[in-house]
Amino acid sequence: KKYVYLFQEGKASMRDLLGGKGANLAEMTQIGLPVPPGFTITTEACNEYYSNGEIFPAGIWEQVWPALAEVEAASGKLFGDKKNPLLVSVRSGAKFSMPGMMDTVLNLGLNDDTVEALAANTQNERFAWDCYRRFIQMFGDVVLEVEHYNFEQILESAKEKQGVRYDSELSAESLKWMVIEYKKKIERKTGKPFPMDPRAQLMEAVLAVFRSWNNDRANVYRKINGIPHEIGTAVNVQSMVFGNMGSDSGTGVAFTRNPSTGESALYGEYLMNAQGEDVVAGIRTPNPIATLAQENQEIYQQFVDFSKRLEAHYRDMQDIEFTIERGKLYMLQTRNGKRTASAAIRVAVELFHEGVITKEEAIMRIEPDQLEHLLHRRMDTDAKLQVLAKGLPASPGAASGRIVLSAEEAERLGNLGEKVILVRTETTPDDIRGILAAQGILTSRGGMTSHAAVVSRHMGKPAVCGCDALKIDYTQGLVVIEGVEYPHGTIMSIDGATGRVIKGEVSMVDPELSEGFKEFLGWADEISRLRVMANADSPTEASNARDFGAVGIGLTRTEHMFMDPERIPIVQDMILAQSLEDREDALAKLLPMQEEDFYGILKAMQGFPVTIRLLDPPLHEFLPHSEELVVDITKLRMSKADPGSLHDKESLLRNVRALSELNPMLGHRGCRLGVSFPEITVMQARAIFQASARLLKEGYDIHPEVMIPLIMGKEEFIMMRKLVDDTAAEVMSEQNVQIHYKVGTMIEVPRAALLADEIGKVADFFSFGTNDLTQMTMGLSRDDAQGKFLPIYLDKKLMKTDPFVVLDRDGVGKLIGIGVNLGRSTNPKLGLGICGEHGGEPNSVEFCHIVGLDYVSCSPFRVPIARLAAAQAAV
Ligand code: PEP
Ligand code: MG
């Protein structure tokens, strides 16, 4: 059996047998690059070593020695030679990278003779003896299992004797002394002298690498990362090359393109007469790679050629390590280079234009979530952060500012040009002005679909929600985190992408959308089948959404239009009206406002469909909290002034109490409101059609679609649809125009999904409201679960992901599948989409593609992410 492969015998596809590192070194050798010669002992040899009861497979050394002879020939050096000795590295390398978990030995082959040769060849006695003492230490520790502290003690006394503080100050003489002491120590500990024979050294080192496959660290690492135990590790034996053999030697690292901008130009640094460590250690300042051309034109040109070849071969930007030994260039390692999101896009786009990859490949190269970085301000990655607490990453982006605990304060300071973070237990429509004025929002309660989260995402404002560790004391005007008090006015920062709450100000990086980015997303649209629409509630959001490439609005939450502080009292009047007359008064005030809203949105989205959902207010979001009212009333009573307002407050409190529900999310909301108060539905329909009539007369191409929320079955839908159709007919005859519109429904209640065939007969479209559908299918409160017990479920691995973030394909997804199939079975023309928060989450978008929806709808800032995810689903 073949246990040993020279690098020129292997290739990239042999990772199972040669491990990742071995296969890569082989591949680089195969494409003709100057890789320091070497060979790989296979993972099979390692596995047989273990299955034989920790004995080397028979015949293995008969293969190693000839391979070593080839390495000697290729390098022009001999193992153990007194003039030009071959030194090798012995490294582990499993199929999957396990950084630092297994053992490595460098400079193997050094002994009392070859160290002298190394000193002569590098003309650097200190360096040679430092290599030697490090080798003995590494070998002693890793192979002979003499504990590290033994060597540390000797090192310390060497420094003491010479009177220096740092290792780097040790003289050649001190190092020589250390070598003697190290060897003595090893002999005392192991009962045997340190092996001087390089072949004996090699055999023991290979054994140590095999053994290290089974050490505790490696076992734990494999368990955590799901790497199977049976795959074993390979061992790579490779000749060492030295970048410090004089002024014609050197070492460096380079990317084939700029990893932060993606610009197509070599980017990296090097040092002459130095080793890799010197570049990393920062003792000497490396030079930019371009100046290598002045140093040695020929080598530079070679490096340029090699890196082009590597990039062409791997068809991606490479991160390369190289060494020059006495005027000869060696390539030590190459891998796909890590890069920023904007570099990733530029590299992918340019590789396509260079004919290296296809559009589909370019699309697959970018993680959709990476785009998030390009769309929002974010924290400077170099910034040092003092993280105080963590909440839910509710709306991406980052902000710094003074913390304020009320919307009024946020507005007041905001108007003075101060940057503020609005901190609340949770937000309500009353806070909207404060949210507008603030740089960011931080709440201690509420999940990813809470008011604060949804509103912030729509505005593109950073928010951290459900930050449990945060205790807010409104009366004292401070917040407490882990026992520490932070008065209002303290500067804090929030990172909505990770949920971190940070003390003090943090430096930020602004987003920018390049032409390449737009081109890239254009390809995504060519490839995808799903259309991407946006959830938008205002003309500004609609035009943002258009800029991000949305082809319509999949959800306008009309209750968000009622949140304007000017309207809140009218909305409250409408909700609290005790008679039809009172309600119609309030509605008459709201009608022109709503008409303007719809006019603006339809106009901003002209040419595309705009789905307007009828009012779906969880009523509690629109009414003052009864506790706050009680406080106000008590104050008024004590002051004994203003009996009028006392009376008003008291009757408000009575009404609030009468309307209060134990389960408002399962209560009087959605179409249930229209069923109870048809006049509200009629007002909204009238506003939609009057706005449409005006726009049509002005020549706009508009596509209004009316959506009925939260139905349980066809009966409610039929009743609501009739109100809408009748109103449309009225407005059309009054205005003498023909309006083309659709009426569809949300599927948010499991029963509606199960009866979708019945509903499909009477509806023009379905939009799956997966926020509520998840809540009701799983019986999880969308407002509370995330802050309370869901983390425990995730922790205990009862769930892989938060179902309010990543759609639960097994359960909720199954219902969607049923809804899609039943709906289409009775209405082949039925339009199908999703408008819950999942509509912008890549994994869920993929599911929407698979289940056969026509479109996804998500908040404007997630539109680019959804476009990319939709394309990836189609590739
Ligand atoms: C939903 O339930 O998924 C939905 C989009 O409606 P809302 O979040 O407004 O309840
Ligand atoms: Mg809903």
Side-chain angles (χ1 to χ4, degrees), residues 449 454 535 555 557 559-560 613 616 665 669 710 746 748 768-773 782 835-837:
T449 59
V454 172
N535 295 354
L555 172 63
R557 289 180 166 100
E559 62 279 7
H560 286 184
R613 178 177 74 183
D616 175 15
M665 283 308 243
R669 57 180 284 231
L710 218 77
M746 296 191 70
E748 301 173 278
F768 290 91
T770 45
N771 300 332
D772 277 309
L773 194 58
R782 58 193 267 193
C835 64
E837 297 306 306

Side-chain angles (χ1 to χ4, degrees), residues 2 159 193 239 241 265 421 467 474 492 641 683:
K2 191 165 168 64
K159 286 193 279 193
S239 84
V241 287
I421 307 275
C467 182
Y474 288 116
M492 287 199 191
M683 181 281 285

Side-chain angles (χ1 to χ4, degrees), residues 28-106:
M28 279 213 286
T29 308
Q30 283 290 346
I31 58 177
L33 294 178
V35 175
F39 57 86
T40 305
I41 302 175
T42 63
T43 54
E44 266 177 16
C46 175
N47 291 331
E48 284 181 28
Y49 164 82
Y50 279 108
S51 56
N52 288 347
E54 309 199 3
I55 295 173
F56 276 121
I60 189 169
W61 301 107
E62 287 73 5
Q63 295 184 32
V64 166
W65 305 130
L68 185 68
E70 296 275 351
V71 174
E72 288 179 326
S75 63
K77 300 173 183 175
L78 290 173
F79 218 34
D81 191 58
K82 288 183 185 159
K83 282 228 172 58
N84 198 9
L86 172 67
L87 303 181
V88 296
S89 61
V90 180
R91 296 178 209 258
S92 59
K95 178 175 181 186
F96 305 106
S97 159
M98 293 172 51
M101 296 302 126
M102 290 181 288
D103 291 334
T104 286
V105 181
L106 302 177

Side-chain angles (χ1 to χ4, degrees), residues 94-204:
K95 178 175 181 186
F96 305 106
S97 159
M98 293 172 51
M101 296 302 126
M102 290 181 288
D103 291 334
T104 286
V105 181
L106 302 177
N107 290 320
L108 187 136
L110 277 175
N111 58 26
D112 293 350
D113 296 327
T114 53
V115 68
E116 300 287 359
L118 184 63
N121 290 336
T122 55
Q123 291 175 346
N124 189 339
E125 193 179 29
R126 190 191 174 282
F127 167 72
W129 284 91
D130 196 35
C131 282
Y132 191 24
R133 73 100 186 161
R134 282 172 198 268
F135 165 59
I136 298 175
Q137 180 178 334
M138 212 177 224
F139 193 94
D141 179 8
V142 164
V143 181
L144 304 175
E145 297 178 336
V146 175
E147 282 177 82
H148 192 70
Y149 73 88
N150 292 292
F151 302 107
E152 280 301 311
Q153 282 171 350
I154 295 169
L155 177 64
E156 286 312 312
S157 43
K159 286 193 279 193
E160 211 167 290
K161 267 177 58 170
Q162 200 193 315
V164 293
R165 272 180 70 191
Y166 300 108
D167 300 7
S168 57
E169 296 170 294
L170 286 168
S171 65
E173 289 317 306
S174 299
L175 294 164
K176 284 181 189 174
W177 177 81
M178 282 172 69
V179 163
I180 296 170
E181 293 302 309
Y182 277 7
K183 287 196 293 190
K184 275 196 217 151
K185 178 66 92 184
I186 285 176
E187 183 156 2
R188 251 201 319 276
K189 288 276 171 188
T190 64
K192 276 186 280 184
F194 186 80
M196 285 291 131
D197 174 9
R199 293 189 180 227
Q201 292 175 356
L202 181 61
M203 291 169 79
E204 293 208 47

